[in-house]
Amino acid sequence: SAGLENGRNASDVISKLEKEGRLIPNEDGMQAGFEVSTDIVDSSEIDIIFNDLEKQEKDKYIENMLPSETRKVDAIPTEEDIDVFFTQVLSNKSFNPTDKPANIPGGFLIRGENRLKDGYELVETLDKKLAATNISDKVQFYYIKDPNPSTEEEFQNYMNDLPVIVVTGRDIEPETKFLTKATISLIGIIFVASFSVGALSFNEVLVDRLDAEVQAGTGDLSWIQALSAPTFFAICITQLVHEASHQAVAFKDKFKAGLPTIVPSLQTGLSGAVTPLMSSPPNLKSLFDFAVVGPLSGLIISLFFMYSGLELTAFMSPEAQSQLPSLPLQLLRSSALAGGMVEWLLGEGILAQTPTAGGTALLHPFAIAGFVGLISNALALLPIGNTDGGRISQSLFGRKWARVVSGLSLLILVLSGVFGLDESNILLSYVLIVTIWQRNPEIPCKNEVDDVDFGRVSVAIAAAMLAALTLIPLP
């Protein structure tokens, strides 16, 4: 580095070498090399270098474990703040520190021992003590498993993932741009409306009617709006139920969830929605409830729409059926659950009529909305990124293993598309969306140490089976 603090700046290094006359000219008189100092580096300096590299690796690992919202530059606690927290909030009767606070990206990490019954009691006790200090409006803490990478020795001695307290700034709200969110949501609504109208285009009777009216120059297309509106509003209801369920849990457990961003889909009009957490859930049980209730309630209302729509379709007169929207058979076959319901209620083998790629099935708008709702809510349950499924995975397996589950899930989804198991490309499209908007880790809960109960694990297993049944195509 030529004695410069910023040794990585090549221009500065070369400039300094040139001024010191240490550049060696080549045969043409051009400066082509430089002198190298052979001063022996002290072993302590080598230790410092390796320690710095090790800290950089740990910091990078922690940055991948905790979201950027915990590292807002203007909200990072100061040394004075952590001193107050260490001396006035912690004690040997609640959380007994075993080491000095360690500086990590965005705040401080404190190792120690919980002297209370469980994490719930600890968080409640520390919250009360923090409220009585002069830093209560500047910092907040999380009782989580150590976000540092575990060493081989720690694994062997069962000392990995020990509970620690992480102290960060008070403000951890995601920095989202309202205009961006509003624009994406508007595009999503337009896609849903376009899908609803597009479903009419698969009905040859309606296409012929439209062509005849255009040829006649009547220009009255209000009937298109009347026929597509039920599909549009029924799809919106499935998503509205999903989002209302999220907000209900957030209200019950006293944390904030942001407004959803509607995400479009080329195949079904709606991929789902991105609903950010604006403040920390109190514990993993609360995070689980928030994450699972949206997709499950959405799946339930979608199943109701699907069944009702198929029943209405089956008992309609041929004249009424001729005015229904329709979906391609290939799209319906992309879901074993939805496709199975179609064959069960409309006749076995109806989806097997695929000699041509243009085969379609006439369906009541409720059935189409139910199909879209089943797909979008099942996608939300996939354990990737900070989707609802990713939050469920985190509440069950912890942050470190949830990242492993997410990586494996993404790999499986990509391979299913590459090897032709996802003919409609629904899964590949969703992977792209998650990779762009929902790849970051979730903000921490106040208590991420105490595990969820067996009842919630059972619900997660049932939800995973329902999602798999929905997203696996018909054989």
Side-chain angles (χ1 to χ4, degrees):
S1 65
L4 293 174
E5 291 184 4
N6 186 13
R8 289 174 295 181
N9 189 321
S11 299
D12 291 344
V13 172
I14 293 174
S15 177
K16 190 172 190 302
L17 291 173
E18 186 177 8
K19 289 180 181 178
E20 294 176 356
R22 293 165 63 186
L23 290 177
I24 302 173
N26 61 14
E27 297 176 356
D28 299 325
M30 301 295 291
Q31 292 174 329
F34 55 86
E35 296 178 350
V36 179
S37 172
T38 58
D39 292 342
I40 298 176
V41 180
D42 189 81
S43 61
S44 62
E45 295 181 3
I46 296 178
D47 290 339
I48 293 173
I49 293 173
F50 278 106
N51 288 336
D52 287 344
L53 290 174
E54 183 179 2
K55 186 178 187 308
Q56 290 176 13
E57 290 180 1
K58 286 186 175 181
D59 287 351
K60 186 66 176 177
Y61 187 87
I62 292 174
E63 288 175 0
N64 290 329
M65 293 296 295
L66 298 174
S68 59
E69 286 79 13
T70 62
R71 300 188 294 275
K72 294 182 179 180
V73 176
D74 56 348
I76 296 177
T78 63
E79 294 282 353
E80 292 76 14
D81 294 333
I82 197 64
D83 285 342
V84 172
F85 185 89
F86 195 82
T87 57
Q88 298 183 26
V89 179
L90 303 182
S91 72
N92 58 5
K93 293 182 179 180
S94 56
F95 186 85
N96 186 34
T98 58
D99 202 352
K100 294 180 180 180
N103 194 287
I104 63 171
F108 295 86
L109 181 147
I110 305 173
R111 293 180 172 85
E113 179 185 1
N114 179 14
R115 295 292 184 87
L116 299 177
K117 182 176 65 175
D118 52 33
Y120 304 112
E121 186 177 350
L122 175 65
V123 169
E124 183 180 0
T125 300
L126 298 186
D127 267 335
K128 291 179 180 177
K129 288 189 175 183
L130 179 60
T133 68
N134 62 351
I135 61 169
S136 59
D137 61 339
K138 299 169 61 178
V139 306
Q140 66 176 326
F141 69 92
Y142 315 98
Y143 183 51
I144 65 176
K145 294 179 180 178
D146 195 339
N148 283 290
S150 301
T151 64
E152 183 178 351
E153 182 180 355
E154 288 174 338
F155 271 112
Q156 292 176 350
N157 297 326
Y158 301 99
M159 299 291 288
N160 59 303
D161 294 343
L162 292 178
V164 298
I165 285 181
V166 170
V167 182
T168 70
R170 193 76 184 174
D171 179 17
I172 60 168
E173 286 193 7
E175 296 178 344
T176 54
K177 297 181 180 179
F178 175 79
L179 182 59
T180 302
K181 289 170 62 74
T183 301
I184 295 174
S185 293
L186 179 60
I187 293 173
I189 293 172
I190 292 173
F191 267 60
V192 174
S194 300
F195 174 83
S196 303
V197 174
L200 301 177
S201 67
F202 294 111
N203 185 329
E204 294 183 1
V205 173
L206 299 180
V207 172
D208 292 341
R209 177 181 174 183
L210 175 62
D211 184 61
E213 292 194 4
V214 170
Q215 295 293 334
T218 57
D220 182 16
L221 303 180
S222 59
W223 60 272
I224 296 180
Q225 179 181 346
L227 292 177
S228 61
T231 304
F232 174 80
F233 286 113
I235 292 174
C236 291
I237 288 173
T238 63
Q239 192 61 40
L240 182 62
V241 170
H242 178 127
E243 298 304 326
S245 300
H246 279 322
Q247 297 296 335
V249 172
F251 178 79
K252 177 181 75 71
D253 291 344
K254 299 178 181 179
F255 65 93
K256 293 192 300 182
L259 293 176
T261 301
I262 306 301
V263 182
S265 167
L266 292 173
Q267 293 84 2
T268 61
L270 176 70
S271 285
V274 179
T275 307
L277 293 179
M278 308 302 285
S279 63
S280 295
N283 48 61
L284 292 178
K285 291 181 180 179
S286 181
L287 177 66
F288 178 89
D289 293 346
F290 175 84
V292 80
V293 71
L296 281 187
S297 59
L299 284 170
I300 290 171
I301 190 67
S302 298
L303 283 170
F304 170 77
F305 274 133
M306 188 86 188
Y307 181 84
S308 300
L310 291 174
E311 280 282 326
L312 291 170
T313 304
F315 291 101
M316 274 185 174
S317 64
E319 292 78 16
Q321 282 191 0
S322 67
Q323 301 299 306
L324 290 177
S326 60
L327 290 181
L329 298 181
Q330 183 186 41
L331 185 61
L332 291 170
R333 290 179 58 84
S334 63
S335 169
L337 177 58
M341 292 180 67
V342 170
E343 293 209 329
W344 171 43
L345 292 169
L346 298 187
E348 185 176 352
I350 186 174
L351 298 183
Q353 301 171 13
T354 56
T356 64
T360 61
L362 295 169
L363 297 171
H364 189 276
F366 284 1
I368 293 178
F371 173 80
V372 173
L374 285 174
I375 296 295
S376 64
N377 284 282
L379 289 173
L381 285 170
L382 293 175
I384 52 181
N386 60 8
T387 63
D388 289 329
R391 291 163 176 162
I392 293 171
S393 177
Q394 179 180 320
S395 66
L396 295 178
F397 307 118
R399 286 183 175 270
K400 292 182 180 179
W401 284 108
R403 289 177 59 81
V404 176
V405 172
S406 177
L408 290 175
S409 300
L410 285 172
L411 178 62
I412 292 172
L413 294 177
V414 171
L415 290 178
S416 67
V418 171
F419 290 102
L421 301 177
D422 178 27
E423 294 184 358
S424 298
N425 292 321
I426 292 175
L427 300 180
L428 278 178
S429 299
Y430 190 69
V431 166
L432 179 62
I433 290 169
V434 172
T435 303
I436 295 174
W437 281 306
Q438 295 183 276
R439 67 182 183 275
N440 294 323
E442 189 57 86
I443 65 174
C445 301
K446 296 286 290 182
N447 173 13
E448 291 192 0
V449 175
D450 292 291
D451 296 327
V452 300
D453 54 89
F454 180 74
R456 287 178 169 83
V457 174
S458 301
V459 171
I461 294 173
M465 294 175 64
L466 186 56
L469 187 60
T470 301
L471 297 176
I472 292 175
L474 277 175

